[in-house]
Amino acid sequence: MGKIEKGLLGGFSGKVGNTVGSSWKNVDVIRSRPPRKRRGQPTQPQLDQQAKFALMTSFLLPLTDLLNQTYSNLLPRPCPASTKPSL
């Protein structure tokens, strides 16, 4: 559990979700926790989902320029290709 030491707008220490608050050289620092390493083998539904995602990515990769031109004026994002449909 995180602990707020200097009020609402001050830094905090400890973990809140995947965020870690700490102090380094008297500077409040917030960082994310490193990702966990996989334990064991992936399940069959996970492998199926990974295969779907790989198929969609391999299909859309050659279309990146077209997606950037098509969606560039619709969304205020730096990379319109990242708005690909999710599976």
Side-chain angles (χ1 to χ4, degrees), residues 68-84:
N68 286 337
Q69 291 174 2
T70 305
Y71 291 107
S72 64
N73 58 354
L74 297 177
L75 296 173
R77 292 188 176 173
C79 181
S82 65
T83 61
K84 298 181 269 197

Side-chain angles (χ1 to χ4, degrees), residues 9-83:
L9 299 177
F12 72 96
S13 65
K15 295 187 292 186
V16 177
N18 66 344
T19 306
V20 179
S22 62
S23 179
W24 178 70
K25 294 186 179 182
N26 291 329
V27 176
D28 294 323
V29 178
I30 297 175
R31 60 185 175 87
S32 63
R33 292 180 61 194
R36 294 182 186 178
K37 292 186 179 180
R38 180 184 302 234
R39 295 181 185 176
Q41 297 297 319
T43 63
Q44 189 59 44
Q46 288 174 331
L47 292 173
D48 294 342
Q49 184 63 31
Q50 290 172 6
K52 289 179 189 178
F53 192 80
L55 177 66
M56 182 61 74
T57 302
S58 66
F59 173 76
L60 291 175
L61 190 61
L63 303 175
T64 301
D65 291 335
L66 177 65
L67 292 173
N68 286 337
Q69 291 174 2
T70 305
Y71 291 107
S72 64
N73 58 354
L74 297 177
L75 296 173
R77 292 188 176 173
C79 181
S82 65
T83 61

